[in-house]
Amino acid sequence: MSAVAIQLEQVPRLNPMFRLQWEKAQDCWVLLYPEGMVKLNASAGAILTRVKGEASIAQLIEQLQAEYPEAEDLAEDVLGFFQHAQALNWILYD
Amino acid sequence: MIKPEIASRQPLWLLAELTYKCPLQCPYCSNPLDFAGAGAELTTQEWIDVFTQAREMGAAQLGFSGGEPLVRQDLTELIAAARDLGYYTNLITSGLGLNAERMADFRQAGLDHIQISFQASDEEVNNMLAGSAKAFEQKLKMAREVKAQGYPMVLNFVTHRHNIDRIDRIIELCIELEADYVELATCQYYGWAFENRAALLPTRAQLEKAEAITQEYRQRLQAAGNPLKLIFVTPDYYEERPKKCMNGWGEIFLTVTPDGTALPCHSARMLPIEFPNVKTMSLEEIWQTSPGFNYFRGDAWMPEPCRSCDEKEQDLGGCRCQAFMLTGDMHATDPVCSKSPEHHRILAARQEAELAEEREMTYRNERNSRIFCRG
């Protein structure tokens, strides 16, 4: 996949190939897909639970910053996550 | 597959072999040779009880398999129950017995994914191998329907010496069908495939060519921005170290067979171990304390050369079923390992593959299975 730069105004949604779910047994959010499961760390979980095809990346950053005011470099982390998530085919943009 | 680091010994993957009945007769089927002698199938309620128990123990992936799971008339009900419990539900099917209406019912019930198996890219070879004349056409139709209904689609092509030279056409077909994942899985030599190994094992040259072609297609797909993933599974007969079978015995994988026998892998039924049954033991007890599930956990069971080997953690001595089939001793080092004193058996199989002889295959059906039951 060619690395396309991610734009702040883009509106991400979860690729329907994946299902986001809280797994009690793993004590974390996971992505389920055909015959597989990815455990998400806390920040990936916090981001992906807000990815609904409604808010833009800029709006997601705002929401997260409001919720975690102490977090530094949050915008950079979120952009880094979307870069990573796109390479893994988790995210689609309309 | 589920990543091993998640494992704190939870049965993350539950494979429900709902039935041994199947309209096809693939000569590489992984079902046991004597399947015709198995007991009565679990009832709907017994299956749902198994799903409930496994989910509480951490299972997240549920595969409906068989035989052909579509034979079960209660499949929609089982899917709905599994989905309600929070499973990611996978239907692993030949596509025979499927139609658009039933597929829509499954979707409604919450089925997440359908995997259709193909025997080859062209009708003649496909039908020859499946032992059914209408199979190929039906599979194509159902694959198109899977996409039309918005399911993620995995296509599974079992490759062997009769179809591996056409891997480019297999991949082209998968691109045309808009598959999301394609498993180009060379036969694993268990069950019926072991019986037919001489007729199925490709030569090293065939394998290397097929792998190179697959690699070319990967690059082409990537350049075109096509997210299709090609997964190439090599047969371990051409390796020098064995595979870490099932990520370890009783580590993440749990199979329940049609009659309720619980196994740490779908082949293990062949081993001279008494495995527990879900009708008479709780799944928790089966997983944690039953002798069958603990038999090959850890490394205390290992003989030499595994015991003192500095690579034993990497492969755990390889596959117990393969060791049993090839040496008669299920504790032995998997003969795939070049350190095994029985490695010559693998070399002999490779040598045999170089011979161009046509061989008869034993097809997987009830009649042939009865012979193995008496066996």
Side-chain angles (χ1 to χ4, degrees):
Chain A
M1 194 131 337
S2 48
V4 182
I6 295 189
Q7 308 294 319
L8 283 166
E9 64 273 16
Q10 283 181 299
V11 177
R13 66 182 167 95
L14 187 63
N15 183 340
M17 180 88 131
F18 296 90
R19 203 172 97 203
L20 180 67
Q21 179 166 300
W22 175 262
E23 269 303 276
K24 196 173 70 175
Q26 310 301 329
D27 194 30
C28 68
W29 289 92
V30 300
L31 280 179
L32 294 162
Y33 58 95
E35 302 184 11
M37 174 168 87
V38 184
K39 280 174 71 164
L40 299 171
N41 63 26
S43 47
I47 298 168
L48 270 183
T49 48
R50 288 172 173 77
V51 168
K52 292 181 175 145
E54 291 159 12
S56 68
I57 291 179
Q59 288 166 324
L60 289 173
I61 292 170
E62 261 174 57
Q63 288 175 15
L64 286 159
Q65 195 70 71
E67 187 146 341
Y68 304 100
E70 73 289 357
E72 290 171 35
D73 306 322
L74 192 135
E76 204 177 310
D77 289 350
V78 173
L79 282 170
F81 169 81
F82 278 106
Q83 201 75 255
H84 184 63
Q86 185 167 339
L88 294 168
N89 201 28
W90 294 351
I91 298 293
L92 298 176
Y93 299 97
D94 292 313
Chain B
M1 284 301 290
I2 292 167
K3 295 210 167 59
E5 63 262 29
I6 300 166
S8 52
R9 201 168 279 172
Q10 292 170 322
L12 293 176
W13 225 125
L14 175 64
L15 187 70
E17 292 183 341
L18 298 179
T19 180
Y20 283 137
K21 295 195 183 81
C22 186
L24 297 183
Q25 310 178 36
C26 304
Y28 46 75
C29 182
S30 65
N31 283 165
L33 292 166
D34 59 357
F35 71 83
E41 289 178 11
L42 295 184
T43 64
T44 310
Q45 199 46 54
E46 282 170 332
W47 274 119
I48 293 173
D49 192 36
V50 167
F51 301 163
T52 308
Q53 292 183 59
R55 183 77 185 123
E56 276 165 16
M57 291 160 65
Q61 289 281 344
L62 174 54
F64 295 105
S65 174
E68 173 50 68
L70 293 168
V71 171
R72 288 280 298 217
Q73 292 307 306
D74 57 356
L75 185 54
T76 309
E77 200 180 332
L78 294 176
I79 291 167
R83 189 62 172 76
D84 278 351
L85 289 164
Y87 280 103
Y88 190 91
T89 49
N90 305 273
L91 174 62
I92 301 158
T93 178
S94 68
L96 271 73
L98 201 52
N99 56 48
E101 197 186 341
R102 204 165 174 208
M103 210 186 283
D105 285 349
F106 294 160
R107 193 75 170 149
Q108 186 74 28
L111 183 63
D112 289 293
H113 148 236
I114 298 180
Q115 173 181 315
I116 298 183
S117 62
F118 277 77
Q119 282 69 35
S121 64
D122 66 88
E123 199 163 354
E124 199 182 329
V125 182
N126 188 85
N127 294 343
M128 183 268 282
L129 290 164
S132 159
K134 288 198 176 133
F136 188 68
E137 197 186 328
Q138 165 70 6
K139 282 165 186 287
L140 283 182
K141 201 169 144 197
M142 285 305 109
R144 294 197 172 98
E145 188 63 30
V146 165
K147 286 309 285 186
Q149 294 200 17
Y151 285 101
M153 181 167 69
V154 176
L155 296 181
N156 177 281
F157 281 83
V158 177
T159 64
H160 41 70
R161 59 191 291 136
H162 300 288
N163 66 4
I164 198 165
D165 294 330
R166 302 176 187 181
I167 202 157
D168 54 335
R169 282 161 60 185
I170 293 177
I171 298 171
E172 292 286 351
L173 178 65
C174 296
I175 295 171
E176 187 208 314
L177 291 170
E178 296 175 68
D180 296 292
Y181 295 88
V182 177
E183 292 175 4
L184 303 162
T186 44
C187 273
Q188 304 291 312
Y189 297 98
Y190 301 95
W192 297 80
F194 185 70
E195 201 59 29
N196 291 310
R197 189 185 68 195
L200 293 169
L201 186 67
T203 65
R204 187 186 287 278
Q206 279 186 300
L207 198 65
E208 282 173 358
K209 188 174 156 226
E211 204 162 6
I213 291 170
T214 305
Q215 192 50 34
E216 264 172 50
Y217 268 99
R218 283 196 188 114
Q219 286 162 0
R220 239 189 272 177
L221 288 164
Q222 190 175 7
N226 187 331
L228 169 61
K229 294 249 180 314
L230 300 176
I231 302 153
F232 191 89
V233 183
T234 54
D236 54 1
Y237 274 65
Y238 288 100
E239 305 287 344
E240 298 304 315
R241 286 290 175 275
K243 56 183 179 274
K244 187 179 183 180
C245 204
M246 311 314 289
N247 269 312
W249 181 273
E251 286 298 322
I252 60 168
F253 197 86
L254 172 64
T255 296
V256 178
T257 66
D259 63 4
T261 305
L263 303 171
C265 96
H266 50 278
S267 290
R269 195 169 195 151
M270 71 169 80
L271 300 175
I273 292 177
E274 199 167 325
F275 286 107
N277 192 295
V278 299
K279 289 181 189 166
T280 53
M281 206 185 272
S282 76
L283 221 48
E284 180 76 28
E285 213 179 331
I286 286 172
W287 183 257
Q288 302 293 355
T289 61
S290 74
F293 275 75
N294 282 289
Y295 203 102
F296 290 114
R297 278 178 175 154
D299 58 13
W301 59 271
M302 283 182 190
E304 292 295 350
C306 291
R307 180 177 290 274
S308 58
C309 180
D310 60 4
E311 296 174 72
K312 70 178 171 188
E313 291 307 316
Q314 286 163 41
D315 54 45
L316 303 174
C319 172
R320 295 303 88 222
C321 298
Q322 191 143 275
F324 179 66
M325 285 187 299
L326 291 171
T327 74
D329 175 8
M330 63 177 175
H331 301 83
T333 297
D334 186 335
V336 161
C337 187
S338 62
K339 296 181 184 180
S340 159
E342 301 290 330
H343 187 58
H344 62 90
R345 294 178 191 277
I346 294 290
L347 300 179
R350 291 182 199 167
Q351 201 62 44
E352 192 178 40
E354 296 299 330
L355 304 173
E357 283 172 35
E358 280 293 317
R359 288 167 199 275
E360 285 289 310
M361 286 196 270
T362 306
Y363 286 87
R364 177 240 191 250
N365 57 40
E366 184 98 6
R367 187 168 48 85
N368 285 337
S369 178
R370 293 262 167 231
I371 296 167
F372 291 108
C373 287
R374 286 197 297 271

